[in-house]
Amino acid sequence: RPGWIVRERNRIGAKYYGGDQVVNKYLYSREGEFLGRDAQITRGLWENEGKVKGGPFKNYTFYDPLSRRIFMIDLAMYAPQKDKLPYLHRMDVIAETFRTIFDKKEE
């Protein structure tokens, strides 16, 4: 599972972000939960050697049986010379708002 997640994230990074790639040396992945779903939670660093930039990322990947889709919620940070932790926390809060059309409507 983590291998597929890294390959897919690297494919998307190469295609849409000009070469962003996961730094395997700092990769951590575990099974967990995201919004009440079983998920693979992957953390680490990304880099773009061509643009000479990078930063931390966190990725939630899970299968939704109702829509029969795999979702990747990816939080990537680039903030040179800034404390990244507050930004990552804010992005986690935003990620918690994710819903599919099959999720129960909150009343």
Side-chain angles (χ1 to χ4, degrees):
R1 243 177 154 185
W4 179 86
I5 292 167
V6 169
R7 285 189 304 276
E8 188 63 13
R9 192 179 190 288
N10 285 345
R11 184 190 69 78
I12 292 167
K15 184 172 182 176
Y16 297 105
Y17 298 104
D20 291 5
Q21 299 288 297
V22 170
V23 180
N24 289 319
K25 181 178 178 182
Y26 301 105
L27 187 64
Y28 172 76
S29 191
R30 67 175 177 84
E31 292 181 11
E33 187 178 286
F34 178 69
L35 300 176
R37 298 173 169 95
D38 291 334
Q40 191 71 28
I41 302 168
T42 306
R43 299 171 189 235
L45 296 177
W46 66 273
E47 68 180 358
N48 187 312
E49 291 182 0
K51 296 180 180 180
V52 191
K53 62 181 185 175
F57 77 90
K58 186 175 185 182
N59 178 294
Y60 300 100
T61 301
F62 59 91
Y63 176 71
D64 178 52
L66 294 173
S67 64
R68 296 187 303 174
R69 292 182 179 174
I70 295 172
F71 288 93
M72 293 180 79
I73 310 299
D74 196 79
L75 318 173
M77 174 60 49
Y78 177 66
Q81 301 176 348
K82 294 194 178 190
D83 182 9
K84 283 124 184 108
L85 196 56
Y87 293 107
L88 285 170
H89 287 307
R90 288 179 189 146
M91 288 194 316
D92 246 332
V93 169
I94 293 168
E96 296 277 333
T97 68
F98 176 83
R99 302 290 180 270
T100 71
I101 61 170
F102 297 103
D103 288 329
K104 291 180 181 178
K105 303 282 186 214
E106 292 187 26
E107 298 180 28

